[in-house]
Amino acid sequence: MKQFTSVKDVTNVKELVQEALALKSNPYAHKALGTNRTLGVIFLNPSLRTRLSTQKAAMNLGMNVMVMNIDKEGWALETRDGVVMDGATVEHIREAARVFGQYCDVLAIRSFPGLKNRDEDYNEEIFNKFITFSGVPVVSLESATLHPLQSFADLITIEEHKKVEKPKVVLTWAPHVKPLPQSVPNTFAEWMCRAQQEGLVDFVITHPEGYELAEQFTPGARIVYNQDEAIKGAHFIYPKSWSSYHDYGKVLSKGEGWMLNLERLAITDQAKVLHCLPVRRDLELGADILDSTESLVIEEAGNRVWAAQAVLKRILESL
Ligand code: CP
């Protein structure tokens, strides 16, 4: 594997899940693989899970790790081309990315969408410039449009906890007070559509009208606007808030009735509930679910380590 920015970088999802589960059983089996290799971890926004799980995964493989919150600790970064840098920005991404490539064998980067200009966000300008200029393999720790390590961990969690061969998995929109990126739902849809193609799941998306995701991430997904109809008989539910893609970055409704609680789960087939975290209790998801055995959110966060470790292992093997 030369880079990891979406499910498109994975040839066989089923095999990668099995590899992650093998690493979970034997975390230090490949400790020699990363010896004298350095992972640079770059953040342009806050993180708990991604930051710690990626470091732990790299350390399990014997790598050295350097972490930089470049938005706070680095020089103010210019990402546009062709501008005279006579304003607040001090360092251009063209030089910064190349310099990171001098110190690191692999880079892992988290950026974020501005949610103002859809083309700018969906062109993944910052991310693609790091890939172009760093000269080393790049792992996405969440970009403006995708969060592939999260979805990989979600699929690992589903595989571990499924009670039927091909579980029904439902992605449901949830309310929030702020407009949130589409990266988690985009990537979850992309991974579940691939898992559906590989016969692993039956995938359904539900949201109020106006919250349709970009079609490029939902090939083969069934979209059902009635949440009750969508979650009926579900084995796994993934509630997540996102802002509108078509009316870009907007919150279109308060979403009354869309928050799930234990009572609402009665029509499912004893569904387990996933969430990438952080989650706002009793706004995005009922606290009664989070405090129950129906919730898998902590196990899911734990699986972020094995997702990152499987990806880093594949990249190290390709160096
Ligand atoms: N799920 C997730 O990416 O969490 P963090 O933002 O804390 O890394």
Side-chain angles (χ1 to χ4, degrees):
M1 191 184 279
K2 299 289 182 196
Q3 65 171 29
F4 181 77
T5 59
S6 90
V7 75
K8 293 192 177 78
D9 295 313
V10 182
T11 314
N12 186 319
V13 160
K14 204 171 181 173
E15 265 177 31
L16 195 62
V17 168
Q18 291 312 315
E19 190 160 0
L21 290 171
L23 290 167
K24 187 170 184 173
S25 304
N26 197 357
Y28 310 112
H30 305 278
K31 187 92 184 166
L33 193 59
T35 305
N36 299 332
R37 297 289 192 184
T38 298
L39 175 70
V41 185
I42 304 169
F43 283 93
L44 286 109
N45 66 324
S47 166
L48 189 167
R49 282 142 290 272
T50 305
R51 183 179 176 127
L52 297 184
S53 62
T54 306
Q55 289 183 74
K56 187 169 164 69
M59 291 187 294
N60 287 352
L61 291 166
M63 297 183 85
N64 300 314
V65 188
M66 300 192 295
V67 184
M68 188 168 182
N69 299 306
I70 198 170
D71 58 326
K72 297 181 190 71
E73 298 161 354
W75 299 108
L77 207 57
E78 180 57 66
T79 58
R80 297 166 300 167
D81 284 322
V83 293
V84 177
M85 287 172 57
D86 58 356
T89 55
V90 177
E91 173 147 43
H92 203 280
I93 194 167
R94 285 174 174 258
E95 283 79 48
R98 280 196 183 100
V99 172
F100 274 110
Q102 297 290 304
Y103 307 143
C104 305
D105 300 288
V106 182
L107 281 180
I109 302 163
R110 170 178 275 196
S111 65
F112 219 53
L115 289 182
K116 301 268 183 280
N117 180 324
R118 188 171 81 183
D119 288 343
E120 214 168 84
D121 289 344
Y122 275 68
N123 284 340
E124 297 282 11
E125 195 185 344
I126 295 176
F127 224 85
N128 288 332
K129 282 185 172 153
F130 267 110
I131 291 171
T132 304
F133 297 118
S134 67
V136 296
V138 169
V139 175
S140 171
L141 299 180
E142 188 172 358
S143 67
T145 62
L146 293 170
H147 194 355
L149 280 178
Q150 179 63 54
S151 308
F152 179 19
D154 300 336
L155 185 57
I156 294 167
T157 312
I158 289 169
E159 278 297 295
E160 271 185 314
H161 291 271
K162 72 179 185 185
K163 295 214 167 60
V164 296
E165 192 57 29
K166 195 176 171 190
K168 179 177 180 183
V169 178
V170 181
L171 168 66
T172 177
W173 182 86
H176 205 283
V177 285
K178 284 171 58 180
L180 296 189
Q182 295 108 34
S183 54
V184 169
N186 279 346
T187 198
F188 187 75
E190 196 177 48
W191 278 73
M192 289 305 127
C193 287
R194 174 71 87 80
Q196 186 165 255
Q197 279 167 22
E198 293 188 19
L200 297 175
V201 300
D202 170 25
F203 182 49
V204 177
I205 303 175
T206 183
H207 53 70
E209 288 194 34
Y211 284 101
E212 289 79 8
L213 296 168
E215 283 178 14
Q216 71 206 74
F217 302 120
T218 60
R222 221 162 10 110
I223 297 167
V224 176
Y225 291 107
N226 180 309
Q227 194 189 43
D228 275 341
E229 191 186 325
I231 68 172
K232 198 170 175 189
H235 301 101
F236 294 93
I237 305 183
Y238 201 101
K240 182 74 185 84
S241 187
W242 65 87
S243 59
S244 173
Y245 169 73
H246 291 285
D247 194 357
Y248 194 62
K250 299 280 188 322
V251 175
L252 305 177
S253 70
K254 288 201 171 138
E256 279 97 354
W258 278 81
M259 190 198 77
L260 293 180
N261 56 24
L262 274 181
E263 198 184 331
R264 300 282 314 284
L265 295 189
I267 57 170
T268 70
D269 189 353
Q270 298 176 310
K272 296 290 183 189
V273 179
L274 301 164
H275 192 284
C276 60
L277 302 179
V279 64
R280 293 195 183 216
R281 286 173 163 245
D282 287 330
L283 174 71
E284 213 179 343
L285 181 59
D288 57 353
I289 290 183
L290 287 163
D291 294 332
S292 75
T293 53
E294 270 61 48
S295 168
L296 290 178
V297 301
I298 304 304
E299 292 86 339
E300 183 184 0
N303 282 335
R304 290 290 306 273
V305 175
W306 318 114
Q309 195 167 329
V311 165
L312 287 172
K313 176 176 174 284
R314 291 267 178 110
I315 286 179
L316 285 169
E317 285 165 346
S318 77
L319 290 179

